[in-house]
């Protein structure tokens, strides 16, 4: 039994009041995200609007936590780098790491390379909106924040992407369920 089936079974077993919480929890899981969570909720018998809202909230809450954590980690690294640079060279000397162009973390992995190419070509809006086709929103948002993109900008475009993709998929699934009934 896979994770999606486990969430579907859980939705069917809990009281109606708790079902949206299960959908929100599913939305926080990478690769399930808002789209999959809304589908789980709709197929589980939850009203489509409730399923979509719960899925969006779960997905965005997870993304927001990850963006805040990775942005904070980047800030700590930048401050540490500045402190070491200042101690080694002297006060006021050297270039700041913040003045470097925003790029994805270098690691050579295929995923990082794919992200870097997309980021250079489409920018934050494009990576956020097209990202779910390639990577989970949690990965994309974390990479953007770790690359130095402003938290508010990442969160805004991730919210737009999560709401858009979840709504589109929910309309398709909801229409199919309605047509079958």
């Amino acid at each position: 039994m896979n994770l999606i089936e486990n969430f579907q079974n859980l939705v069917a077993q809990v009281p109606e009041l708790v079902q949206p919480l299960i959908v929100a929890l599913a939305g926080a899981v990478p690769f399930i995200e808002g789209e999959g969570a809304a589908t789980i909720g709709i197929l589980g018998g939850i009203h489509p609007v409730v399923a979509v809202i719960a899925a969006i909230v779960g997905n965005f809450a997870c993304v927001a936590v990850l963006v805040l954590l990775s942005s904070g980690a980047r800030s700590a690294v930048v401050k540490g780098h500045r402190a070491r640079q200042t101690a080694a060279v002297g006060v006021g000397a050297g270039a700041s790491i913040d003045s470097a162009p925003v790029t994805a973390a270098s690691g050579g992995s295929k995923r990082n390379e794919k992200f870097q190419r997309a980021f250079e070509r489409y920018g934050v809006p494009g990576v956020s909106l097209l990202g779910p086709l390639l990577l989970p929103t949690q990965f994309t948002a974390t990479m953007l924040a770790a690359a130095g993109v402003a938290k508010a900008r990442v969160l805004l475009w991730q919210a737009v992407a999560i709401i858009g993709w979840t709504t589109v998929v929910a309309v398709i699934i909801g229409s199919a369920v309605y047509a079958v009934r």
Side-chain angles (χ1 to χ4, degrees):
M1 191 175 274
N2 66 31
L3 190 57
I4 293 173
E5 289 174 348
N6 288 340
F7 276 117
Q8 287 175 330
N9 291 336
L10 190 55
V11 166
Q13 294 173 1
V14 298
E16 263 185 56
L17 212 55
V18 180
Q19 289 175 342
L21 296 175
I22 303 302
V23 171
L25 182 63
V29 176
F31 297 104
I32 293 178
E33 304 192 49
E35 304 91 288
T39 301
I40 289 168
I42 292 168
L43 295 177
I46 298 174
H47 189 280
V49 173
V50 174
V52 167
I53 291 170
I56 288 170
V57 167
N59 194 190
F60 186 76
C62 179
V63 166
V65 167
L66 291 172
V67 166
L68 295 174
L69 288 174
S70 57
S71 181
R74 182 181 194 284
S75 293
V77 169
V78 168
K79 285 178 186 174
H81 177 74
R82 262 196 225 128
R84 284 189 306 276
Q85 193 176 41
T86 302
V89 180
V91 178
S96 169
I97 194 170
D98 282 338
S99 65
V102 176
T103 59
S106 61
S109 78
K110 295 231 186 253
R111 195 170 271 165
N112 280 346
E113 291 171 15
K114 188 183 292 186
F115 172 82
Q116 184 62 38
R117 281 193 309 272
F119 182 71
E120 289 170 0
R121 187 169 186 181
Y122 304 113
V124 175
V127 168
S128 296
L129 295 171
L130 298 174
L133 297 173
L134 304 172
L135 297 169
T137 54
Q138 291 91 337
F139 295 170
T140 305
T142 300
M143 291 170 90
L144 286 169
V149 178
K151 293 181 283 197
R153 189 166 184 215
V154 173
L155 291 174
L156 170 72
W157 283 106
Q158 289 298 312
V160 170
I162 290 167
I163 291 167
W165 281 104
T166 303
T167 302
V168 167
V169 170
V171 167
I172 292 168
I173 297 299
S175 299
V177 168
Y178 180 75
V180 170
R181 287 186 187 171

